[in-house]
Amino acid sequence: MAVLAAVCGCSFLAWPSQIPPLILALKYLSIALWIGFFGYQFLRLHQWQLRFWLDEAGQLTWHGNGQSLPVKNLVVGSYLSAFYVGANLIIVWRDMCDDGQYRTMCRILLKSRQSSVG
């Protein structure tokens, strides 16, 4: 998100310096829209959270939804765990949880992957 915002912001440097007042107003309106859009997106991203529960059988339950769905593992690592729940890809970085929670989640994911293979 930050790279996209930087690329879009740098594009304003390509505008010519001598432009008619109407085009100048359009440039400043575009800059205001750019700031508003990316400011809103960064705020939403900062407030975003996903609550889920993972049981010992490798079934995941979403917050507010009583339905348990099976987890299909993609990657389980020391810094990143990524897995599918239905068609949704969930990526959990190690710093999103405390160490105990992350280790427990990785243990459950690895256990569920071994039981589904064997």
Side-chain angles (χ1 to χ4, degrees):
M1 178 75 96
V3 172
L4 181 62
V7 168
C8 292
C10 288
S11 69
F12 293 112
L13 297 174
W15 287 57
S17 60
Q18 300 296 328
I19 53 177
L22 182 62
I23 303 298
L24 186 63
L26 179 65
K27 177 182 175 180
Y28 288 132
L29 177 66
S30 299
I31 290 172
L33 290 173
W34 171 77
I35 290 171
F37 175 77
F38 281 105
Y40 176 71
Q41 293 301 322
F42 279 121
L43 181 64
R44 286 198 55 207
L45 183 62
H46 180 71
Q47 294 174 346
W48 182 85
Q49 64 180 339
L50 174 66
R51 292 181 129 184
F52 63 89
W53 289 268
L54 189 62
D55 65 7
E56 291 291 329
Q59 297 286 320
L60 186 135
T61 304
W62 300 100
H63 177 68
N65 182 2
Q67 181 182 6
S68 293
L69 301 169
V71 172
K72 297 177 186 169
N73 290 327
L74 181 63
V75 175
V76 176
S78 58
Y79 294 106
L80 165 80
S81 293
F83 50 91
Y84 281 100
V85 177
N88 299 315
L89 174 65
I90 298 176
I91 299 173
V92 180
W93 292 91
R94 184 178 186 158
D95 62 349
M96 291 178 166
C97 310
D98 63 27
D99 284 341
Q101 290 174 338
Y102 187 76
R103 288 179 187 174
T104 302
M105 182 189 70
C106 290
R107 181 183 51 81
I108 292 171
L109 289 172
L110 290 171
K111 182 180 171 185
S112 69
R113 179 168 49 182
Q114 289 173 352
S115 65
S116 67
V117 171

